[in-house]
Amino acid sequence: MSLVGTAEPDGGHLHMSLPDGTGKKVGGHLLDGNVIYTTAEIVLVDLPGASFSREPCKLSGFNELVVKERVAK
């Protein structure tokens, strides 16, 4: 039903919602080992001017998403 998040060089952070075997909606983090039983249509968009990373946040205590201007190499 939906998959949103980011894919960074040092990992990704994805959230999904989908139906279980009875049609009930469930959701949470997409983690290694999740199994897709039929098909998944996934579209990735590259934003050439932006870089995504996770950095520690003093307020939340978690590694939070940081978006910066991508430096050309």
Side-chain angles (χ1 to χ4, degrees):
M1 293 184 335
S2 71
L3 175 69
V4 295
T6 59
E8 304 97 35
D10 56 347
H13 192 98
L14 300 169
H15 298 104
M16 65 178 179
S17 64
L18 54 125
D20 67 10
T22 67
K24 178 181 172 186
K25 184 176 74 168
V26 295
H29 288 100
L30 177 63
L31 302 172
D32 290 342
N34 287 132
V35 177
I36 297 170
Y37 291 102
T38 56
T39 63
E41 295 180 12
I42 299 173
V43 177
L44 299 175
V45 177
D46 183 27
L47 300 174
S51 70
F52 300 88
S53 64
R54 301 239 164 229
E55 296 179 9
C57 174
K58 293 178 183 177
L59 295 174
S60 71
F62 294 100
N63 287 338
E64 301 288 355
L65 177 65
V66 175
V67 181
K68 295 180 181 175
E69 184 175 358
R70 185 181 292 180
V71 178
K73 292 182 180 181

